[in-house]
Amino acid sequence: MSLFDFFGMMTNDIAIDLGTANTLVYKKNSGLVIDEPSVVAVSTDSRKIIAIGQQAKVMLGKNPDEVRVIKPLKDGVIADFQVTELMLRNLIMRAQKKRLLVRPRVIVCVPSGITEVEKRAVRDSVLHAGAREVYLISEPVAAAIGADLPIDEACGNMVMDIGGGTSEIAVISLSHIVVHNSIRVGGDKIDTDIISYLRKKNNLHVGIQTAEKIKTTIGSAYPLKEELSMDVRGRDIVSGYPVTIKISSEEIREAISETVTPMIDAIKRLFERTAPELSADIAERGIFLTGGGALLKGLDERIRKTVDLPVHVVPDPLECVVKGAGTVLDDVDRYRQVLIKKIED
């Protein structure tokens, strides 16, 4: 009998992509059931949850002193254990539709560079949130499975997963990561770059939600065929009054260049440690981009021009990691070896 068989008949096991920006939940035999921002609004008096996910995110920058809006994950790992457990408990209950006759087994996606201490923190938080057993899978491996790459074959597959807090690059062969590089730079750093740039160059103070909207609307890593612009509302630092200014995609590209460059440098450093045979496979097959950061306009072209290799943005890059973990969940016997070995206390 396989790892999940017996109790799998009595409950719906789940896979969780516990991301800095978003948390996604895949339910066995049901597919993706939850996709929410990793944000929690908590009462400062009682520490009770007021809102989770999108409802909490809209409160960012607009909350009174009585309400604390928290992003409990930072750089891909847990920063606030108590709030993370509350968030996970809520998401697990929602995924199970509040019917927990048997607690679910859970697969959690984690960064490839995660430490043993951080692994235990993830495991313990998910157990306390209501899971019966917890298994971990590396995000690049889950992304490769979600992208339908032949990771079980003897060939090099390079995946770059760009999340909110981390960018993970890995070469995978025979169902294992051969070499990897993890940098704690991602979409959140791009948002703060935009905030800093507008403050310095335009004396304009904007919030994190406005910065994210700028990034997704006109942000780019490479010159566009038709450059874009948009009106941005914020507070003038000098006068203190609300103002509206027009910002161009060229300006935002300048603002985020110091974050995009390290991402590409991380790919170069990984190739220095990659065996020639695997490098030859990657030269033929290319680099596959997943995660929310893969949607940044022109990023694939910027990488392609720099490393002179094919670069592909996978379909549904935001969901690729959790779908890969869900594929493992649906066929554990086949993918058992991709799970991270059990953590010792």
Side-chain angles (χ1 to χ4, degrees), residues 100-155:
L100 286 175
L101 297 176
V102 178
R103 292 185 297 163
R105 301 191 186 195
V106 180
I107 293 178
V108 186
C109 307
V110 295
S112 58
I114 192 171
T115 66
E116 289 299 317
V117 172
E118 290 165 342
K119 288 176 188 175
R120 282 196 292 272
V122 171
R123 180 201 61 184
D124 293 348
S125 291
V126 180
L127 285 173
H128 293 160
R132 186 163 53 85
E133 288 187 49
V134 179
Y135 298 87
L136 307 183
I137 183 172
S138 175
E139 287 172 357
V141 172
I145 295 170
D148 202 25
L149 298 181
I151 66 163
D152 52 350
E153 297 178 8
C155 67

Side-chain angles (χ1 to χ4, degrees), residues 105-278:
R105 301 191 186 195
V106 180
I107 293 178
V108 186
C109 307
V110 295
S112 58
I114 192 171
T115 66
E116 289 299 317
V117 172
E118 290 165 342
K119 288 176 188 175
R120 282 196 292 272
V122 171
R123 180 201 61 184
D124 293 348
S125 291
V126 180
L127 285 173
H128 293 160
R132 186 163 53 85
E133 288 187 49
V134 179
Y135 298 87
L136 307 183
I137 183 172
S138 175
E139 287 172 357
V141 172
I145 295 170
D148 202 25
L149 298 181
I151 66 163
D152 52 350
E153 297 178 8
C155 67
N157 301 275
M158 179 176 276
V159 175
M160 182 174 189
D161 180 55
I162 308 166
T166 59
S167 294
E168 308 257 348
I169 312 103
V171 176
I172 303 165
S173 177
L174 295 172
S175 299
H176 289 84
I177 292 177
V178 182
V179 288
H180 72 91
N181 200 352
S182 178
I183 58 172
R184 300 206 168 181
V185 171
D188 288 354
K189 180 63 167 60
I190 290 175
D191 295 341
T192 58
D193 285 347
I194 292 171
I195 293 172
S196 298
Y197 180 89
L198 294 178
R199 176 184 282 273
K200 291 176 183 176
K201 295 296 178 92
N202 302 90
N203 288 325
L204 184 72
H205 182 54
V206 299
I208 197 74
Q209 294 198 70
T210 299
E212 186 178 4
K213 185 177 180 182
I214 294 169
K215 175 183 68 180
T216 56
T217 305
I218 65 171
S220 70
Y222 193 77
L224 305 173
K225 290 181 180 178
E226 291 186 16
E227 297 294 349
L228 306 171
S229 64
M230 67 180 288
D231 290 333
V232 176
R233 295 180 179 88
R235 189 182 77 236
D236 186 279
I237 294 173
V238 178
S239 69
Y241 294 119
V243 294
T244 301
I245 65 171
K246 188 175 285 293
I247 298 294
S248 69
S249 52
E250 294 101 324
E251 291 176 280
I252 300 306
R253 192 158 55 247
E254 179 187 345
I256 68 177
S257 62
E258 290 187 4
T259 293
V260 173
T261 299
M263 293 180 183
I264 300 173
D265 289 343
I267 297 174
K268 294 179 185 176
R269 290 196 300 273
L270 193 66
F271 271 116
E272 293 172 0
R273 296 162 35 219
T274 303
E277 290 82 0
L278 294 174

